[in-house]
Amino acid sequence: MLMGALSATALAGNILDLEYVNILVSMDFRNVFLVYAQTENYGLFYATCEGQCTWAEFAKEIVSIMDISVSIKDIKSSEYGSNVQRPAYSVLENYMLKLTNGYVFSDWKDALKESLSNL
């Protein structure tokens, strides 16, 4: 998924700016999976990096880290041209991960920089 997003064409254009989400970078998911695979904890666990951003902020951070020259225009959901109703704020909390053994993910920007540096 991340490799496809790195293409300059994929990042150029209109990106949602008013829809807040959590980001999960694959390196962080691997780390938490390895920790929990060795325990007897089970149930529904949300797994996302710490912090929140809009899709536009996420795209701009990738462009900044990779030093890619593209134009990104922040748009509202109503300008996106989709009939799908999406919440403006869909940020998740890693409550169960923190509760069961105190696992805390990296901040999404730090995890993204680390992941992109490994490409």
Side-chain angles (χ1 to χ4, degrees):
M1 176 183 96
L2 190 54
M3 288 302 293
L6 290 178
S7 129
T9 356
L11 287 173
N14 300 332
I15 310 273
L16 293 173
D17 188 43
L18 295 176
E19 187 176 304
Y20 286 86
V21 296
N22 293 103
I23 302 299
L24 175 61
V25 178
S26 60
M27 299 298 287
D28 268 11
F29 179 74
R30 181 201 64 191
N31 294 342
V32 76
F33 180 78
L34 292 174
V35 167
Y36 276 87
Q38 300 172 29
T39 72
E40 294 189 22
N41 296 322
Y42 60 92
L44 179 61
F45 288 75
Y46 292 114
T48 64
C49 290
E50 293 297 309
Q52 64 187 23
C53 64
T54 65
W55 287 114
E57 290 170 330
F58 181 57
K60 288 176 183 177
E61 188 67 19
I62 294 170
V63 166
S64 173
I65 293 168
M66 299 301 291
D67 196 25
I68 301 170
S69 179
V70 296
S71 175
I72 295 175
K73 179 184 175 198
D74 301 0
I75 63 169
K76 299 175 186 173
S77 296
S78 59
E79 299 172 280
Y80 189 63
S82 173
N83 293 330
V84 176
Q85 295 292 321
R86 306 217 14 112
Y89 190 82
S90 56
V91 174
L92 302 173
E93 174 60 46
N94 297 325
Y95 177 74
M96 289 302 292
L97 292 174
K98 293 174 183 176
L99 180 68
T100 55
N101 80 348
Y103 190 90
V104 177
F105 279 94
S106 304
D107 179 76
W108 73 270
K109 285 185 180 182
D110 295 336
L112 184 61
K113 284 177 193 168
E114 180 184 345
S115 185
L116 293 176
S117 72
N118 291 323
L119 294 179

